[in-house]
Amino acid sequence: MYGLYDKEGILRFVDSDKDACIAYAELFELCSTNYCLIDLANNTKKVKGTNLDQSLGVNNN
C-alpha cells in the first residue's frame, strides 16, 4: 500500500500500486518535488503506532 502526500503533508491518494500513485500525481501535474510517496504497511493490525513522517518517503526530492 502506498500513500501520496503533497508538500504540505496532506494525504492525497492511497493505492496498492505504486505506479497508480505516480499516475495520480502526474494527472494533477504534481512534479516530484511537490509530493512524497510512502510505502505504508499492508496489514495495519501488525503495526502499533505508524509514523508517517515524510522523511521516510520513497520519492522525496
Side-chain angles (χ1 to χ4, degrees), residues 2-4 13-15 17-26 37:
Y2 293 91
L4 181 86
F13 189 76
V14 174
D15 197 286
D17 183 10
K18 178 180 174 182
D19 293 331
C21 289
I22 294 170
Y24 179 87
E26 290 173 354
L37 185 61

Side-chain angles (χ1 to χ4, degrees), residues 24-56:
Y24 179 87
E26 290 173 354
L27 176 67
F28 289 97
E29 299 177 351
L30 297 173
C31 61
S32 63
T33 58
N34 290 331
Y35 70 84
C36 177
L37 185 61
I38 298 176
D39 187 4
L40 303 174
N42 286 326
N43 188 347
T44 56
K45 292 180 182 178
K46 292 182 181 178
V47 178
K48 295 184 180 191
T50 304
N51 182 359
L52 297 178
D53 183 7
Q54 282 191 331
S55 65
L56 300 174

